[in-house]
Amino acid sequence: MQITRRDVLKLGGLALLAGGAAKATPAAASAVLGDLADDDRKNGMGTVVEYAGRGGSPQWTAPPKSKWDYRSFALAGGTAQRPDRTFDMLVEKRNAADKGFNTWTLNGVPSSMDTDKPVQDIDRGGRYRMRFRNATDDIHPLHLHRHTFEVTHIAGTPTHALHKDVVMLGGYQTLDFDFTADQPGLSLFHCHQQLHMDYGFMTLLHCT
C-alpha cells in the first residue's frame, strides 16, 4: 500500500501519523486510517496509526457495510406547509469543459464569479421549495447561507421536521427542501465541495 504522509506526532502511548484516529485490535501493531474506497486508499488517500513500541505492516479493517439515510432522522409524511413557489434545479456536469476541468451547472447554467449571476429573486416572508434532481454521479453537500431549511422529500419520500443548513444530495438522487425567506439581501446557495462551487455550482438568492 502506498502511504504518502508519515509525520509522527507522539501522543502519550500512541504515535499518530498525520492526525486523526483509527480502530485497531489491541494486538495490532498499526492500523490504516483512510478512504473507504479501496482504489482511492491504495492510491494515497490513507495514513497509518502506529502504536508506540510496536512494528509491523499496517492493517486495514473494513468497517461494516452501512448506508446513510436522512429519513432515519426525519418524520414520515409531507409537511403541512405549502411553498409559495418551487425552484426546480437540475444538476448536471460537463466533463473537462473549462480548460480541462469539469464544470457543474444548475438548469444548464454555470455560475459566474465575474458577473455574480445567476440570481433568483424571492420575496421576504415567502416559503420556497428548492427541488433538486442530480443528473451526476457526484455527491453534493448542499448549503444555503443565512437560513435553516426543512428537508421535505428524500429520493421521492415525503418527510418533515428535519431542519438543516447543509444536506447531502446523493448521485442520481432527488431531494427537496423548503425555507422561509427571512433574511433580506443576498444569500449564497452552493455545493460545499469547493471545486464544484468554483466551477459553477452556486447561485445567489436576492430577498426583497
Side-chain angles (χ1 to χ4, degrees):
M1 170 178 287
Q2 177 187 5
I3 301 297
T4 59
R5 297 180 63 191
R6 296 179 63 90
D7 301 321
V8 180
L9 299 174
K10 295 294 183 180
L11 300 176
L14 178 69
L16 187 61
L17 286 81
K23 180 181 179 181
T25 62
S30 58
V32 176
L33 171 68
D35 197 291
L36 297 181
D38 292 342
D39 186 61
D40 290 340
R41 195 174 60 257
K42 290 175 181 178
N43 283 282
M45 288 296 292
T47 190
V48 175
V49 176
E50 291 182 340
Y51 289 86
R54 298 183 184 179
S57 299
Q59 301 175 32
W60 166 255
T61 302
K65 290 187 179 296
S66 62
K67 184 177 181 181
W68 180 263
D69 193 335
Y70 282 109
R71 289 171 289 194
S72 301
F73 305 94
L75 297 179
T79 177
Q81 294 180 273
R82 300 290 94 190
D84 298 306
R85 181 181 173 188
T86 297
F87 291 100
D88 289 302
M89 310 294 276
L90 174 63
V91 181
E92 295 178 294
K93 177 168 63 176
R94 299 174 182 172
N95 290 319
D98 187 348
K99 299 177 182 177
F101 286 91
N102 298 337
T103 61
W104 286 265
T105 65
L106 293 172
N107 297 332
V109 180
S111 66
S112 169
M113 287 187 280
D114 294 327
T115 62
D116 290 332
K117 292 182 179 179
V119 178
Q120 312 292 337
D121 291 319
I122 56 179
D123 296 325
R124 189 171 185 180
R127 183 176 173 92
Y128 293 89
R129 177 165 296 171
M130 299 188 79
R131 173 173 290 155
F132 298 92
R133 182 163 67 88
N134 186 5
T136 79
D137 59 354
D138 299 310
I139 298 173
H140 298 292
L142 308 177
H143 179 42
L144 178 59
H145 284 230
R146 307 170 69 218
H147 295 78
T148 297
F149 52 75
E150 180 181 17
V151 179
T152 53
H153 285 79
I154 302 170
T157 302
T159 60
H160 67 284
L162 177 60
H163 298 276
K164 308 283 290 181
D165 65 3
V166 178
V167 66
M168 301 294 287
L169 175 65
Y172 302 113
Q173 191 182 60
T174 59
L175 184 143
D176 298 0
F177 66 67
D178 292 9
F179 70 95
T180 299
D182 53 6
Q183 300 295 323
L186 292 170
S187 295
L188 178 64
F189 167 77
H190 64 100
C191 175
H192 233 310
Q193 291 205 54
Q194 187 70 45
L195 186 67
H196 298 184
M197 174 182 170
D198 289 346
Y199 283 87
F201 197 145
M202 64 178 176
T203 191
L204 286 166
L205 303 177
H206 184 214
C207 176
T208 57

